[in-house]
Every structure is written in C-alpha cells, then in structure tokens.
Amino acid sequence: MPVFTQKNAEKQLNAEADKVQRDDLESLLARQRAIEDKVKGSGKLQRFSGDIKLMFSMIGDYWNGSYRNLPWKSIAAIAGALLYVLNPLDLIPDLILGIGFVDDAGVVALCLKLVETDLIRYAAWKEQREAATPEVI
C-alpha cells in the first residue's frame, strides 16, 4: 500500500474543494456534529479538534453573512477538507484500523497550512467581536 503523501493530500483537497458550491455550506453545517464526533473518535484527527471547530465557526459566520473577509478559495478548501473527513470511503477507507484516518489527517493538515492566515484573521475578528458584545445575564 503506498504511503499517503502531501502530494496525495493536495490532490484530494483540490478535488473536494473544486466540487464545493455555496449551497454545500448549509449541508456541511448541518453535519457538523457528525464530523466533530468522528474527529473525537479517531486518534489521528483528534489533535485537529480545536482547528475543526474554528473552521466550522468561520463557515457558519460566512454562511450567515457576518464574516466575509476571506476569499471563496479558502472557504472551499475548508469545506472540501471537512467533507473529505466525513467520507468513510475516501482514499484510505476509515474502516482500516490503524491507518484509516491518516489521509483525513493529511488533508486537514494541508488545508490548515493553506488557510492559516485566514483562520488567524478570523479568530482575531471573532475574539474582538466577542469582547465588544456585552454578556447577557
């Protein structure tokens, strides 16, 4: 079995991102819980749990129009990576114990590398927005 490489991750991420349409974001947001549960249950993906929550938050704010300060390419890459994680029959099927999530982790890691600046900007925006919003008791 060939080793999953960064080149494989890039190919898979590009293939998924190219398929993403704006309407897919709503469907993806509806499946957030399933993806987060899958991430929690896998050793290789679990370390990306916080990043994946931030990705979902950014997609949600993009979807509802409150945050649009990023290119569609970044949203498509994030959505593509998350949809790839959701697919149990991807390049290395998730059912293969020990290595089934290696490709998923590779795709997520590559996506994080590609959209790192956008995620950092979004996290700063979100933090500033939350600081400016008075807490309701």
Side-chain angles (χ1 to χ4, degrees), residues 2-101:
V3 176
F4 190 76
T5 64
Q6 183 168 340
K7 189 171 187 145
N8 296 125
E10 189 173 346
K11 182 179 176 184
Q12 295 302 316
L13 180 58
N14 288 335
E16 288 298 323
D18 287 346
K19 293 188 279 184
V20 173
Q21 302 294 315
R22 189 175 182 338
D23 293 341
D24 294 329
L25 299 181
E26 185 175 22
S27 172
L28 180 63
L29 289 168
R31 295 191 250 169
Q32 180 175 354
R33 182 70 173 183
I35 294 170
E36 288 179 350
D37 287 347
K38 182 176 180 179
V39 168
K40 284 180 192 171
S42 70
K44 297 285 183 193
L45 280 172
Q46 200 167 18
R47 70 178 187 210
F48 297 113
S49 182
D51 295 316
I52 287 173
K53 284 182 183 197
L54 184 62
M55 289 174 169
F56 269 114
S57 180
M58 188 163 74
I59 287 176
D61 283 335
Y62 182 89
W63 175 252
N64 69 31
S66 60
Y67 186 79
R68 294 290 175 99
N69 190 23
L70 71 160
W72 172 254
K73 182 178 177 182
S74 293
I75 286 292
I78 291 169
L82 294 172
L83 289 167
Y84 187 84
V85 167
L86 188 62
N87 183 358
L89 301 174
D90 46 33
L91 192 62
I92 302 175
D94 297 342
L95 302 171
I96 300 175
L97 295 175
I99 64 166
F101 295 108

